[in-house]
Structure formats: C-alpha cells, structure tokens
Amino acid sequence: MTAWSKLLVATTRLIDLHDSAHEPGSPFIQVTQEQRRGLRDGYWLDLGCLLLDYLLEMDFATNSAFVTQGRCLAHLRTAYPAHYGELSPDDLGFVINLLATPSELHFRQPGDAEARRQRSTKRTALIEKQGQTGQVRLTASGRQAVTLAGQVEDLLYSEYDAAKVLAALARGDFARIPDITNQILLSIRGLTQELRRVRENPTREGKLAALLDNQRHYHHALSTIQQTLLDARAQLVSPQLGERFAAWCEAQPDGEAWDLRVLSGAIGRVLTAIENLSRRLAELLADIAEGRIQSMGVVDFTDLARGLLAAPPAAALRDALVARLMPRPPRVAMPRPVSLIPLLESRRAEVSHAALVFDAEPGAAPEDPLLARFLEARGPALRARLARAPLALPEALAEGWHRFEEGDCLAQLLNTFVDTALLDARLRVGIEPQPFEVTLEDGRVIRGEVTPSLRLASAPLDVVSPSAATAKDEC
C-alpha cells in the first residue's frame, strides 16, 4: 500500500459517517456494505495522487509558485507508458477542477457543557487554480494532505528524524538522507506558514495560544535539529566518509549519479528553513510583547446584513460606504498585466549558510561596506573643510573629495548630500538656483538644474561664501 492508500484507509469510514443520511435516534443500527459509485478501477484517484505529489515537488523547487498545466501533463505522462494510451489533457483538467472545487464539511466543535456547537468549513480544496492562466499550486489543505500521506511528524518530534541522518551516514545508507531531510523540511515549512497565517489573521486565538505555550519546546527542537545537522554536514567533509561514499557510488546501478553536494545541499536547505522559522517566531513574539497582535474578533457578515436591513445606517455613513464599495471610475486607465510580465524577474534569495536560532551567539561583525570606510577615512577632513566654509557639490568634485582608495566614490560622496547625518548631525543642505555642469577625469558629465551645498548649522555667517549666501531653499 502506498502512503496515499494508508491515508484513505484511515479516513474513508469517517467520510462515510459524514455523508450518512441515518436519522438520529433511529433503532435500525445495522450497517450494510454500501455500493460505491464510480468506475472502481482507481484511475482518477491515482491520477490525483500523482498530481498532488508532483505539485509538492514543485512547491519545494519554486517556493510555492504557480505551475502551468502543461508541465503537470508532461510529468504525469511519464507515469503512464504509451501502451496504456496517451494521457488526455481533458482528464487532467477534470482532476484539477475537481481538486480545486471546495466541498463543505460539517462538524461539531466542543462548546459549553450543554451542547456542542455546529460548524462547517469549505477549505477542502487541495489545489489553487488561477482564473486567467489556469496555473495551479497546492493550497494549505493540499499541502497538509500530502504531509499526512507522507506520515510526517510534528516539528516537536522532528529532532528524532534529524538523528536518522547521522544513522544513515554511519550505516552508509546515503540514498535515504534526502528523503529524511525532506520530511524535516515539510514540518518546518508547515510551522513557518502557520506563523505567517497567525500574523495575518490574529483572530485565531487558539493557535496563537498554542504557539506561545510551545515556543520553548520549539526552541529546544530547533536547536537540537540544527546541531545534529551541523554535525552531519561536518562529517561530509571527512576523508573517511568520502571514501565510503565513493565506494557506495560505484556499487549503484548505472545511470544513477550521486555527489556529496546533493547531500550537503539537502542538509543546507533544512538549516536555511530553520533560520527562516526562527526569525518569524522571533518577530511574532516581539509583536505580541509590544502589543501589535490584537484579537479583532470574527465578523459575521450574515448577521451584519440582517442588521442593516432591520435598521438602515445614517445617510452620511451609507454614502461613505457605497462610495468605497463602488468600482473605480471608467476614466481611470489601468495597465494590462500581460504587457508587464516580461519586465518581471523572479529571483530566489541566496542561500545563507549561517543557521540562526533564538539564543545564537552573535558572530563576527560583517565587513565594512565602502561607504563606512569612506566616512571613516575622509569624514574628519571633510568636517574640518565644512567648518571653514560651505561646500557646494561642484567644488567638492573639483577638490577631489570623490576619490578614495585609488578608486571612485562618487556615489558615497553624493550620499553625504542626501543623508547629512552620515557626517555630522549639525549639517544642513542648501539649494542654490544656479545650474551646474562638471566633467570628471574619466569623461563622465554631471549636470544639475540646481546646486546643492553643505554647511554646518553652527557655522558663523561671516564665513559663508557668497555663492552659498544666495541659497533660496534650506532643509
């Protein structure tokens, strides 16, 4: 039985209870074997499970981006050989539409001592489909379904999965390491997305309270997973393990190419996810401590509509509400998104090899940027020059203040005219109405409609140059 079969075995009878039309209090308690409708050959179920597994792989590869149906069809056709018949695009479209259409699920939630409150949800769609392009990706429910099918434990127990990496290295079972790290990555990403949803929807008091109660345990689990995987990655560079890995690769069937970078990359992805999760949990705890997370309550729009019908609001409130709900005037020109798509570029952030946790020791200070070195080296002399007389931008270029470390620091010099606090808190910028044009040694030409100048606010007026005295605007 596959993982999906185990999931369905565990939930099929519960779905039968949900769909049962048995009358409460009926004395007929015997249950007969019902006849299920459908083709009874498993084709549609197999197609849907393969699609969900592929979307999970693309969720990892594209960071939850949408995938075209053409890519899904090309992948699924590899699972059905040609002698079974080519997979039809209509079959895939039917499966996508079915999994993207939500179905209402009714359940009862524990309430007071007298009764259990009736609730329902329509968050049962496993796939999210774009209306215009038809591209698809997993929903939160779909990702949870694939996670349950893979029998992934909660993050609090994933520290034992991290120990499996060390055990696989010790036994030489290198092929199991990517699967183990993917299981840990699923649980970490699930909690990371749950933190994002809690911050976006602070009305989920129960989940927020659970996160606060377990944050110490999450901290311990993340620290343990991090240290275990760091030890595993340290073993990958040892000569002894390299020899065992080379012998293992030679014993693999032809066509299966392995490299130690595959294992190192799998471990690195988990460490990066730990860094992301620790940062989000720290932000959530900071928001709670500073009172930025507040419970707003859930608005029942049905009761609100009934109340508006029973007692209409005041005319001023009604007009303001209608004005905000109405569409934009037709004279407003909106650009077509299709023409802007070629201008967009999706880039993933560079992988950081520094795995951070909540109480991590601060590392070494980062290397000073060019601006910091420029201000440290030329700042005292530049402040002394401004103490004598104001300095206009053309004069600064003529005096060579933009040359530093045998290179060009024109951008850093311009920053001092934009952010005056970089040099001295007393600095002020004057704007003279005269235009300027300066040609640098390398042929670059700098033009300006007005001439900016720097001076110290405490500088006496008698040392102000005549050109600076004509400044009409000072900020």
Side-chain angles (χ1 to χ4, degrees):
M1 297 177 64
T2 64
W4 282 104
S5 300
K6 296 178 181 178
L7 175 66
L8 294 173
V9 166
T11 56
T12 298
R13 301 310 295 178
L14 295 177
I15 293 297
D16 291 337
L17 281 177
H18 176 270
D19 295 340
S20 176
H22 192 73
E23 289 291 337
S26 173
F28 304 98
I29 62 173
Q30 298 299 325
V31 179
T32 60
Q33 184 66 30
E34 64 275 7
Q35 181 72 24
R36 294 191 175 274
R37 57 192 179 92
L39 298 178
R40 300 172 62 88
D41 61 354
Y43 172 72
W44 299 113
L45 179 61
D46 182 50
L47 196 59
C49 294
L50 291 175
L51 175 62
L52 292 175
D53 287 333
Y54 174 70
L55 290 180
L56 180 65
E57 296 177 5
M58 300 306 299
D59 189 79
F60 281 126
T62 63
N63 199 14
S64 302
F66 282 94
V67 183
T68 62
Q69 295 189 27
R71 295 180 63 180
C72 298
L73 183 62
H75 174 79
L76 293 180
R77 279 177 174 171
T78 61
Y80 285 89
H83 61 270
Y84 285 107
E86 189 177 38
L87 180 62
S88 170
D90 295 334
D91 289 355
L92 177 62
F94 168 75
V95 172
I96 290 177
N97 290 336
L98 183 63
L99 296 180
T101 303
S103 178
E104 189 171 10
L105 179 67
H106 299 270
F107 57 95
R108 299 220 173 177
Q109 184 175 353
D112 52 13
E114 288 79 15
R116 298 172 68 90
R117 294 173 292 177
Q118 298 183 15
R119 291 289 184 267
S120 66
T121 180
K122 289 187 176 181
R123 298 179 59 183
T124 55
L126 303 182
I127 291 178
E128 181 181 359
K129 178 182 176 183
Q130 283 186 328
Q132 300 296 331
T133 62
Q135 297 181 345
V136 294
R137 68 178 177 186
L138 288 179
T139 62
S141 300
R143 192 175 296 105
Q144 185 179 20
V146 184
T147 301
L148 292 174
Q151 301 175 351
V152 178
E153 296 289 349
D154 186 75
L155 175 64
L156 296 177
Y157 307 98
S158 295
E159 53 186 300
Y160 306 107
D161 291 334
K164 296 178 183 178
V165 177
L166 294 177
L169 290 176
R171 292 196 301 263
D173 193 5
F174 301 105
R176 284 294 305 267
I177 294 178
D179 295 335
I180 297 173
T181 55
N182 282 339
Q183 290 182 1
I184 304 174
L185 195 59
L186 274 176
S187 58
I188 293 177
R189 286 187 171 179
L191 182 59
T192 303
Q193 293 177 355
E194 190 66 31
L195 289 177
R196 185 189 302 119
R197 287 192 291 268
V198 168
R199 295 194 67 189
E200 294 173 352
N201 183 13
T203 60
R204 306 178 64 182
E205 299 93 343
K207 189 62 179 179
L208 182 61
L211 290 174
L212 292 178
D213 294 339
N214 293 325
Q215 63 94 10
R216 179 173 59 88
H217 302 292
Y218 285 132
H219 170 214
H220 176 74
L222 286 174
S223 300
T224 305
I225 296 172
Q226 178 194 40
Q227 187 59 46
T228 303
L229 294 181
L230 287 176
D231 295 342
R233 191 165 65 176
Q235 292 186 20
L236 294 178
V237 298
S238 63
Q240 295 82 2
L241 189 139
E243 295 175 359
R244 291 195 294 114
F245 181 77
W248 177 82
C249 290
E250 294 178 358
Q252 298 305 305
D254 296 338
E256 295 187 11
W258 284 83
D259 193 282
L260 274 178
R261 288 174 295 182
V262 176
L263 307 184
S264 179
I267 296 176
R269 285 193 296 269
V270 179
L271 294 176
T272 303
I274 292 177
E275 177 185 349
N276 187 25
L277 175 59
S278 62
R279 182 173 62 251
R280 290 187 180 276
L281 187 54
E283 292 174 354
L284 177 64
L285 295 178
D287 289 345
I288 296 174
E290 298 178 8
R292 291 196 293 264
I293 295 272
Q294 298 179 357
S295 179
M296 300 164 52
V298 179
V299 178
D300 191 343
F301 289 97
T302 303
D303 292 341
L304 179 61
R306 295 194 189 99
L308 292 176
L309 291 176
L317 179 60
R318 180 199 60 203
D319 295 341
L321 180 63
V322 171
R324 288 181 175 271
L325 292 180
M326 288 297 102
R328 297 177 179 271
R331 64 177 179 272
V332 176
M334 301 297 291
R336 294 182 62 220
V338 178
S339 59
L340 300 179
I341 289 178
L343 304 178
L344 303 178
E345 182 178 2
S346 177
R347 292 185 178 180
R348 299 185 62 181
E350 295 183 359
V351 177
S352 173
H353 296 288
L356 306 178
V357 292
F358 315 120
D359 57 350
E361 292 294 334
E367 184 180 357
D368 292 336
L370 182 58
L371 176 61
R373 299 199 307 272
F374 174 78
L375 294 175
E376 183 179 0
R378 306 297 300 273
L382 191 54
R383 282 190 291 269
R385 167 65 177 80
L386 291 172
R388 297 194 304 268
L391 180 64
L393 181 58
E395 298 175 359
L397 296 175
E399 295 176 9
W401 288 102
H402 63 288
R403 289 189 292 270
F404 176 65
E405 293 183 354
E406 299 181 358
D408 183 81
C409 286
L410 178 60
Q412 286 70 26
L413 178 63
L414 293 178
N415 281 340
T416 61
F417 283 82
V418 177
D419 187 0
T420 56
L422 293 175
L423 279 175
D424 197 307
R426 299 172 300 164
L427 283 182
R428 298 293 183 268
V429 177
I431 305 298
E432 303 176 10
Q434 294 85 3
F436 74 94
E437 180 176 334
V438 177
T439 302
L440 301 180
E441 296 86 346
D442 55 3
R444 288 178 297 173
V445 178
I446 302 177
R447 300 183 180 89
E449 299 295 332
V450 294
T451 303
S453 62
L454 291 177
R455 76 175 182 88
L456 293 175
S458 58
L461 296 179
D462 54 354
V463 301
V464 178
S465 63
S467 61
T470 60
K472 300 182 65 178
D473 186 13
E474 184 176 303
C475 56

